[in-house]
Structures are given as C-alpha cells and as structure tokens.
Amino acid sequence: LNVIRHNYMIKKLLMAAIAAAACITPVAAEIQPGTSSLLETIDANGILVTIDHEECSTGRYSGQYRWLGFQRELRLCPGETVDAGDHNTVRHEVIHAIQHCVNVARGTSTDDPVMNDVDYLMEFARDHLSIREIEWIQRNYDRSQWLTEIEAFAGARAYTSSELETIFLAACTLQEEDA
C-alpha cells in the first residue's frame, strides 16, 4: 500500500512539474500548458499513466501507449527533467490512445489511423512534418505501423494538449447528449 501511495505521489509531482514547466518555458519550445490536465483526464478515464517505468532505462523509447485486454497504459520516460520533447511525447501517445478507441468502436485493426483516407492523412502529415521526418518514420517503424505513427507524429504537432483532451473525451468516453 505504501508503494502505491509513493507511486501516486510521484505521478502527481511529475504532473505538477509538467504544469510548472509550461508556465516558465517559451511557447516556441512547444510546451503545452494543458498537458497536466490531459494526463489527469486520461488517467481518470481508465488509462494508467506510468512515469519512468523500469523499462525506460533501456532508452528504446521516450513514451509508449500499451494495452492488454482492458488494461491500457501510457508510459512516459522524462527522466530527471521535463522538457518540450516530453510534452510532445504525451501528445503523440495520447493520439495512439485515441486511435485505439476509434478503432475499437469501428471494429477495425488497431494499426489503422483515425484518418482512414490515406491521401488526406498524407496531406495532413506534409502540413506538419518534413519529408525527412516522414522518411525517418518509415525507416524506424514496421510498415504496418507507418500510417498510425505518421498520424501520431503529425497530430502531436497539429493539436494542442487542450484540443487532444477534447478529442480524447469525445472518442474514448461515453458522453451524455443534451436533451
């Protein structure tokens, strides 16, 4: 029980650090002031937010969205300091969570992007990523993941944390309709 409380306190402190960094870092650094709220929202809606999991020490990733059955997890690896790259990682991984929700609702493969028109998706990607960045994704990810990764990388640039919070709530939670 003490370990759970300790991990909970560390998570809350890191979320507070992310919020504080958003207040003191220039906007050009791409730190989003809504990142802390976004993390709290996904955590409150069934996605476990894990910070600096022991697998982070491998250095293979800076974040990861995972699921096993109904257990969903967003792993973040900021290390000792939180920077603009960490905020970008949150947005990128939340897009994977949104892709998962949308594909479950559609009954399609979780390797499908939300934007199911490939031409539209690639136009969106070219608006937010350079050709070099798209080629990097294609070199570093399995072909089956190209479209979801391109969408996640481009979306992390296109959307603010606050916008992604709204999209997440619409795609991944039951919303009551106004009467």
Side-chain angles (χ1 to χ4, degrees), residues 16-37:
I18 289 170
C23 296
I24 59 174
T25 306
V27 175
E30 295 186 33
I31 286 183
Q32 297 287 321
T35 301
S36 181
S37 178

Side-chain angles (χ1 to χ4, degrees), residues 141-163:
Y141 287 90
D142 184 79
R143 184 180 198 93
S144 67
Q145 297 175 314
W146 286 358
L147 295 178
T148 54
E149 289 299 332
I150 288 169
E151 184 176 61
F153 277 101
R157 291 239 182 101
Y159 301 112
T160 67
S161 294
S162 298
E163 290 168 331

Side-chain angles (χ1 to χ4, degrees), residues 31-77:
I31 286 183
Q32 297 287 321
T35 301
S36 181
S37 178
L38 175 59
L39 287 171
E40 290 171 4
T41 296
I42 65 168
D43 191 54
N45 284 282
I47 299 178
L48 175 66
V49 176
T50 305
I51 297 167
D52 285 327
H53 185 276
E54 62 188 33
E55 288 184 22
C56 291
S57 64
T58 66
R60 292 186 5 226
Y61 57 84
S62 55
Q64 187 179 54
Y65 172 73
R66 305 164 40 101
W67 70 94
L68 181 60
F70 289 106
Q71 177 59 52
R72 298 177 296 162
E73 180 183 16
L74 191 136
R75 287 186 181 172
L76 302 170
C77 305

Side-chain angles (χ1 to χ4, degrees), residues 108-124:
T108 53
S109 166
T110 53
D111 287 331
D112 287 345
V114 172
M115 297 177 205
N116 54 11
D117 179 326
V118 175
D119 292 332
Y120 180 78
L121 171 59
M122 293 310 294
E123 181 180 327
F124 173 77

Side-chain angles (χ1 to χ4, degrees), residues 4-20 36-37 39-41 43-44 49 51:
I4 293 170
R5 281 189 190 136
H6 179 71
N7 288 341
Y8 177 77
M9 290 304 296
I10 290 172
K11 184 189 308 184
K12 288 296 181 189
L13 287 172
L14 188 59
M15 287 180 180
I18 289 170
S36 181
S37 178
L39 287 171
E40 290 171 4
T41 296
D43 191 54
V49 176
I51 297 167

